[in-house]
Amino acid sequence: MYPKDIMKKDKDFKMGDTDFVQSGDVSISRWKDRGKKPVTVVSNMHNASATEIVLRTNYRGQRTPILCPSSIADYNRYMGAVDRFDQYMSA
């Protein structure tokens, strides 16, 4: 269970907002993208305060840079490979 009492509430997040907690090697990062709720990732290989710039398409179709926690950016970057691996393993 992650520390909900010290992290921002879901309703307080706006697009691009981040929040994180780290204890030893375990970090919890939260980031609000386009959806209704922020994305939460627990990692033991990322520094919770590390961020990357990702490009998001706005309502006008323009790509704008916003900050994203590294753990969430890595998940988004590599999740397709995990899905593909699972697909190959089931065949």
Side-chain angles (χ1 to χ4, degrees):
M1 177 121 4
Y2 70 92
K4 290 183 180 181
D5 53 331
I6 27 180
M7 299 189 86
K8 285 188 343 186
K9 306 279 185 234
D10 288 357
K11 64 181 179 178
D12 297 333
F13 276 88
K14 294 178 183 67
M15 185 176 168
D17 284 353
T18 62
D19 194 13
F20 63 87
V21 175
Q22 184 153 351
S23 177
D25 291 340
V26 178
S27 67
I28 301 172
S29 301
R30 298 186 82 207
W31 178 62
K32 176 86 183 300
D33 196 8
R34 288 169 267 204
K36 292 183 180 183
K37 292 190 173 195
V39 176
T40 304
V41 171
V42 178
S43 175
N44 63 354
M45 64 179 267
H46 292 91
N47 181 345
S49 62
T51 58
E52 295 181 23
I53 294 176
V54 294
L55 296 175
R56 288 292 182 257
T57 305
N58 64 16
Y59 64 94
R60 294 183 199 141
Q62 301 166 333
R63 300 196 35 98
T64 57
I66 60 172
L67 284 177
C68 174
S70 293
S71 57
I72 295 173
D74 281 350
Y75 172 78
N76 287 334
R77 187 177 300 123
Y78 299 116
M79 71 179 176
V82 172
D83 292 342
R84 202 170 315 114
F85 177 77
D86 289 343
Q87 182 182 12
Y88 291 151
M89 290 301 292
S90 69

